[in-house]
Amino acid sequence: MNTPPQNLAFLLQETARRVPGKKALFHKDDQKYRSLDWAEVQRRVDTLASFFLEQGVKPGDRVAILSENRPEWLITDFAVLS
C-alpha cells in the first residue's frame, strides 16, 4: 500500500526523484515555449528555500509572493512550502 504524500513539497521531491528528466513546466519566453524538467524545478526550489532559511524565514512565518503568472511564482511557492 502506498503512503500518501506528507505535503506538496514532499510530493515535488518524490516526483523529481522518480522522473527527473520529464518536463514539468512550460512557459513562453521571447515568443518561444521553453520547459523545465522536474530535476531543474527541484534544484531551483532547493536553492531558493536555502536562501529563505539564510534570511531567517522560519516555519510559521508568512511570506507574500507578488508576481505575474510565471514559473518563478510556482518555484517560490514550493520554496516557501519547503
Side-chain angles (χ1 to χ4, degrees), residues 16-27:
R17 184 190 57 76
R18 278 188 301 103
V19 291
K22 191 170 183 176
K23 293 178 180 170
L25 297 175
F26 294 88
H27 64 284

Side-chain angles (χ1 to χ4, degrees), residues 37-63:
D37 64 30
W38 286 105
E40 179 62 15
V41 170
Q42 183 65 61
R43 185 190 68 75
R44 291 182 184 194
V45 166
D46 290 345
T47 299
L48 189 53
S50 293
F51 172 77
F52 286 149
L53 289 172
E54 290 169 7
Q55 296 304 306
V57 177
K58 300 177 296 306
D61 285 354
R62 296 179 184 192
V63 177

Side-chain angles (χ1 to χ4, degrees), residues 10 15 19 38 49 60 67 73 82:
F10 177 82
T15 302
V19 291
W38 286 105
S67 172
W73 189 98
S82 294

